[in-house]
Amino acid sequence: MTLPQHDQAARVLLQQSNGRITPARIGVLGILLAANAALSHQEIEQLALQQGYTFDRVTLYRALDWLVEQGMAHKISGADRTWRYNAQAGIPHQHAHFHCKQCEQVFCLENLQPAFLFALPPGYQLEQVDVTLQGRCPACTQQS
Amino acid sequence: MTLPQHDQAARVLLQQSNGRITPARIGVLGILLAANAALSHQEIEQLALQQGYTFDRVTLYRALDWLVEQGMAHKISGADRTWRYNAQAGIPHQHAHFHCKQCEQVFCLENLQPAFLFALPPGYQLEQVDVTLQGRCPACTQQS
DNA sequence: TATATTAATGCAATCTTGTTGCAAAAGAGA
DNA sequence: TCTCTTTTGCAACAAGATTGCATTAATATA
Ligand SMILES: [Mn+2]
Ligand SMILES: [Mn+2]
Ligand SMILES: [Zn+2]
Ligand SMILES: [Zn+2]
C-alpha cells in the first residue's frame, strides 16, 4: 500500500516547509499520501510499524498536528471520537466526508458540494460547513 | 435557567415511559428541557449540582443513554469528541447543528433542511446525513 | 567536515471522556 | 408492608490524547 515513491513525494513536500525533515514526518506523510481513506492514529501507527518506522505514539501525534498546521494534511473528527487524517493535495478542505458504518473507514468526497437552502436563523454568522454522510462504502456495498 | 416547572414537565414525560421515575432522570431531563442548547455531560453535571442534585458521573451517563433510548433526547457528536444532549420534543432528529466557535455551544437548527446536489460517487449507499455548521451564535455575534 | 544552535523526539506521567462489574439502595406493584 | 426488579454508587478500567522535561538529531554556520 505505502510504497517508496510516496516517501519520496513526502520528502519533496516537506522541503517546501520551513520545518525539519525527519523520519517521522516523512513516514507519516508518506503513509497519508498512499492512503485512499482518512486514517486514524492507530492505523497510521500500524502502517508505520509495517514499514519499519518505530517512532512512538507522542511523536506520531505531534507529526500529525504539525502536518495539519502546515496545511499538508487535514483532520476529521469522527463519531467514534477519534481523529482521522488525510493528506490534502493543496486543495482547501471544503468537502464532505463519508463514514462507512460497516468497515468504519472515512472517505473524503472531494467533489460533493452541498447546497443549502439557507434558512439559517437570523444572527448566526456562518464560517464553515461540515457534512458527514453515513452508510456503506462501495466496497462494502458490493460485498453484500 | 432550570426552573421547577421543567422538573414537572420532565416528570410528566417520564410517566409515559415504562421505566422508573428517579431523581436522576427527572433532574437530567429537566435540565435538558430548560436548555436552549445541546449540553455536554460536564455542563449537565454542573447544572445538576447547582440545583442540589448529587448523583454521580456514571448515573448521569446512564440516565442520558436511557433518555436517548427512550426517544426523549438525542445526542450529537461534537467536533471536540464529546457527546452533547438535547431534549427533543417528539420531533425526529433530522436537522442541522450549529457549533459556535466562541462560546462552544451547540444549537439545534430545527428548521434548516439541507438540500444536496447529489453527485455522490457511484457505489456509495447513503443512510444518514450529519450537517454541522460552524461560526458564531447570535449572542456572540452581537457581543463583538 | 566539525561545531553550535535549536527543533524534534522519547518516555513517563497525566488528563479527559466514557465504560464495566457488582453489591447496595430504591422504585413500584401486590 | 413486602417482594421483586431496576437503578444507583463506587471502584476499577480503558482508549484517545496531551504535557513536561531531559536527550537526541537536523540544519546552519564556521
Ligand atoms: Mn477530508
Ligand atoms: Mn439536534
Ligand atoms: Zn466500508
Ligand atoms: Zn456563541
Side-chain angles (χ1 to χ4, degrees):
Chain A
M1 181 191 191
T2 305
L3 301 164
Q5 57 255 43
H6 289 115
D7 281 32
Q8 263 318 316
R11 231 177 263 267
V12 171
L13 283 169
L14 290 169
Q15 307 281 10
Q16 292 165 32
S17 79
N18 55 353
R20 292 182 181 173
I21 299 172
T22 68
R25 288 173 181 176
I26 297 166
V28 171
L29 184 51
I31 286 167
L32 294 184
L33 288 170
N36 64 337
L39 303 179
S40 68
H41 175 273
Q42 256 198 349
E43 291 168 327
I44 296 168
E45 194 171 18
Q46 227 169 329
L47 287 167
L49 261 174
Q50 281 173 28
Q51 291 179 238
Y53 289 108
T54 59
F55 36 75
D56 84 0
R57 259 159 27 98
V58 179
T59 301
L60 187 44
Y61 275 107
R62 290 198 268 226
L64 287 166
D65 282 349
W66 183 85
L67 289 170
V68 171
E69 267 175 37
Q70 299 295 312
M72 298 185 203
H74 69 272
K75 64 177 175 177
I76 310 152
S77 94
D80 54 356
R81 297 181 310 291
T82 64
W83 293 110
R84 288 168 186 272
Y85 298 82
N86 186 261
Q88 73 191 160
I91 313 154
H93 184 227
Q94 188 70 359
H95 56 257
H97 294 109
F98 192 97
H99 183 131
C100 176
K101 285 180 177 177
Q102 188 163 332
C103 67
E104 295 291 316
Q105 288 194 95
V106 174
F107 304 92
C108 295
L109 302 176
E110 308 286 353
N111 298 315
L112 186 65
Q113 299 284 351
F116 290 89
L117 297 177
F118 276 117
L120 190 61
Y124 285 94
Q125 199 177 324
L126 187 62
E127 286 176 24
Q128 194 186 329
V129 180
D130 285 358
V131 177
T132 303
L133 309 180
Q134 296 189 46
R136 284 179 167 187
C137 74
C140 289
T141 298
Q142 209 164 26
Q143 263 177 33
S144 57
Chain B
M1 183 192 190
T2 303
L3 302 163
Q5 57 255 43
H6 289 114
D7 281 32
Q8 263 319 315
R11 231 177 262 269
V12 171
L13 283 169
L14 290 169
Q15 307 281 11
Q16 292 165 32
S17 78
N18 54 354
R20 293 184 181 171
I21 299 173
T22 68
R25 289 173 182 175
I26 296 166
V28 171
L29 184 51
I31 286 166
L32 294 184
L33 287 170
N36 64 338
L39 303 179
S40 68
H41 174 274
Q42 257 197 350
E43 292 167 327
I44 297 167
E45 194 171 17
Q46 227 169 329
L47 287 168
L49 261 174
Q50 280 172 29
Q51 291 181 236
Y53 288 108
T54 60
F55 36 75
D56 85 359
R57 254 161 29 93
V58 179
T59 300
L60 187 44
Y61 274 109
R62 291 198 268 226
L64 286 166
D65 282 349
W66 183 85
L67 288 171
V68 170
E69 267 174 37
Q70 299 294 313
M72 297 185 203
H74 70 271
K75 63 176 176 177
I76 310 152
S77 93
D80 55 354
R81 300 180 312 291
T82 64
W83 293 110
R84 286 167 187 270
Y85 298 82
N86 185 263
Q88 74 190 161
I91 313 154
H93 183 226
Q94 188 68 4
H95 55 256
H97 294 108
F98 191 97
H99 183 130
C100 176
K101 285 179 176 178
Q102 188 164 332
C103 67
E104 294 291 317
Q105 287 194 95
V106 175
F107 303 91
C108 295
L109 303 175
E110 308 285 353
N111 299 314
L112 187 64
Q113 299 285 350
F116 290 90
L117 297 175
F118 276 117
L120 191 61
Y124 285 93
Q125 200 178 325
L126 186 62
E127 286 175 24
Q128 194 186 330
V129 180
D130 285 358
V131 176
T132 302
L133 309 181
Q134 296 190 44
R136 283 180 169 188
C137 74
C140 289
T141 298
Q142 209 164 23
Q143 262 179 32
S144 57

